[in-house]
Amino acid sequence: MIRARSAVTVTLPEAQGLVLADDVVAQLALPVFDNSAMDGYAVRADDVGDATPERPVVLPVAEDIPAGRTDLLVLDPGTAHRIMTGAPVPAGATTIVPVENTDGGEDSVTIQQGSPPGKHIRRAGEDVALGTTVLRAGQVVTPAILGLAAALGLAGLPVIPRQRVLVISTGTELVTPGTPLQPGQIYESNSVMLAGAVREAGADVIAVATAEDDVAQFSSILDQHAAGCDVIITSGGVSAGAYEVVKDVFGRDGEAGVEFVKVAMQPGMPQGVGRVGGATIVTLPGNPVSSLVSFEVFLRPALRAAMGFGDPERPRRTAVLAESLTSPRGKRQFRRAILDADTVTSYGPPASHHLRWLASANALLDIPEDIVEVAAGTELQVWDLR
């Protein structure tokens, strides 16, 4: 179980994409004051009600009110105030005549068409009344929410913080991309891939490291980073071979708080889970497809749930299989697939080292463990990765 972090209040930019921890109650009305919805003239509706192009009404312009003017004005009968959009409506004014219905005068204005009472006036509190609950705990902070919070004068929002994740890839054969390969070496890709998956899930990656099959080196990485993280993700070092550094560090029998198991799924059979200090550790298999599919199945939903997201799971859809397939008995198989409308087609071989096909897939076919053969035309559950 990944533990949620305690709620904190962060600045508005920092809150984007996070989940609100508490309701937000407006301590301010919106609009704050009656203001003009148009560039035009603030008048008394009775003074201009009979205005027509043939019989216009001419009024002296007593004041000019730009947006941002702060003194309190009063409109006398038989006068007009030139007013800009967003500017405060003077006391006594009952309507706004758009500039298009006038000659645009500055000292006096010729009004060719009147406006009814209340027209083009945004009333104080008509959007948000003081004391209204405008946001609810559980909402994801969007740009629109940031705009509302700022309009209400809030400098920050209470949110559930992102999970802090350490990613460690293991294997003496691994080499940093860009480095010339020696015989028997391969480029390290799992840490880059898993760190990207962590960020896409909404969490923070505090460090990415690669360890050889060396207990001292792996332990040193843990000593350096584990205290500052909520979740540790490792890849590799959990199979049944002789050089399985993750098992060697935590004990192959689970005595160090990490339980290693074989999961009845393909790809992704060897797994492990436990606690290291205050962090949850999840040990994933080393084959790239096994590692990322295991993240999708076990880790992504748990990470998102711990951050308060109401939809931690990938969308599940039912689609019609375009061709016949076989699946190993007793294992839940996740096949790379292409989802097109209501039809799904498997994509590439099922083996766990075929990363190319996963990179272009937009879905995972979820074939239950009790199914060995699936005929074309069968409806199957699909995990939508789009």
Side-chain angles (χ1 to χ4, degrees):
M1 174 67 70
I2 297 176
R3 298 172 182 172
R5 297 177 62 198
S6 298
V8 295
T9 297
V10 300
T11 65
L12 297 186
E14 292 173 314
Q16 183 170 357
L18 300 181
V19 176
L20 287 174
D22 295 303
D23 295 348
V24 175
V25 177
Q27 304 300 313
L28 190 72
L30 291 181
V32 181
F33 49 83
D34 291 356
N35 68 87
S36 177
M38 302 287 287
D39 293 335
Y41 296 84
V43 298
R44 294 174 183 256
D46 291 344
D47 289 341
V48 298
D50 296 330
T52 65
E54 295 75 23
R55 297 174 63 88
V57 173
V58 179
L59 297 175
V61 178
E63 294 284 353
D64 201 44
I65 314 176
R69 185 165 176 175
T70 59
D71 52 331
L72 301 178
L73 300 174
V74 178
L75 176 76
D76 294 328
T79 66
H81 290 182
R82 191 168 73 143
I83 193 168
M84 301 299 119
T85 302
V89 175
T94 59
T95 192
I96 306 295
V97 176
V99 68
E100 293 84 357
N101 295 338
T102 75
D103 67 348
E106 297 182 14
D107 297 321
S108 66
V109 60
T110 299
I111 296 174
Q112 298 154 348
Q113 180 181 327
S115 296
K119 189 70 171 177
H120 306 308
I121 296 177
R122 303 165 177 156
R123 296 297 182 189
E126 71 175 28
D127 184 15
V128 176
L130 179 66
T132 301
T133 299
V134 291
L135 299 170
R136 298 286 184 182
Q139 285 186 261
V140 178
V141 178
T142 62
I145 285 177
L146 294 178
L148 175 60
L152 290 169
L154 300 175
L157 287 169
V159 295
I160 302 172
R162 300 183 192 278
Q163 290 283 302
R164 299 167 299 186
V165 182
L166 166 64
V167 179
I168 308 174
S169 186
T170 68
T172 301
E173 76 278 15
L174 303 179
V175 176
T176 302
T179 304
L181 288 175
Q182 300 297 320
Q185 294 181 330
I186 61 174
Y187 286 123
E188 200 286 305
S189 59
N190 281 3
S191 67
V192 176
M193 177 176 65
L194 290 171
V198 167
R199 296 187 190 98
E200 191 271 340
D204 280 336
V205 178
I206 64 164
V208 177
T210 302
E212 297 181 2
D213 295 321
D214 179 273
V215 168
Q217 187 185 34
F218 185 88
S219 298
S220 175
I221 292 171
L222 289 178
D223 291 341
Q224 184 178 356
H225 299 292
C229 65
D230 303 301
V231 179
I232 302 167
I233 302 173
T234 69
S235 68
V238 293
S239 294
Y243 300 97
E244 306 296 345
V245 66
V246 177
K247 280 189 170 181
D248 290 339
V249 168
F250 294 110
R252 294 178 179 249
D253 297 323
E255 63 267 19
V258 179
E259 181 181 5
F260 298 101
V261 297
K262 293 183 178 180
V263 180
M265 63 178 277
Q266 186 192 55
M269 182 176 67
Q271 311 276 345
V273 65
R275 301 285 300 178
V276 175
T280 297
I281 183 167
V282 179
T283 68
L284 303 178
N287 276 317
V289 177
S290 296
S291 192
L292 189 57
V293 170
S294 296
F295 178 90
E296 286 287 338
V297 174
F298 300 114
L299 257 171
R300 186 180 189 276
L303 276 173
R304 289 178 62 79
M307 292 184 289
F309 290 101
D311 55 345
E313 304 278 352
R314 290 284 191 184
R316 311 289 172 87
R317 313 194 188 285
T318 299
V320 176
L321 185 62
E323 85 275 56
S324 298
L325 293 175
T326 60
S327 184
R329 186 183 301 277
K331 289 187 178 182
R332 185 179 179 185
Q333 188 180 51
F334 290 92
R335 295 283 291 264
R336 285 134 280 186
I338 299 295
L339 179 63
D340 184 12
D342 295 327
T343 301
V344 64
T345 306
S346 68
Y347 189 60
S352 58
H353 64 286
H354 291 291
L355 185 58
R356 164 197 166 186
W357 305 96
L358 184 58
S360 299
N362 66 8
L364 291 175
L365 262 173
D366 186 353
I367 305 175
E369 62 273 12
D370 57 347
I371 293 179
V372 177
E373 296 183 359
V374 189
T378 302
E379 288 189 342
L380 285 176
Q381 188 177 74
V382 177
W383 294 31
D384 193 342
L385 302 180
R386 294 174 293 189

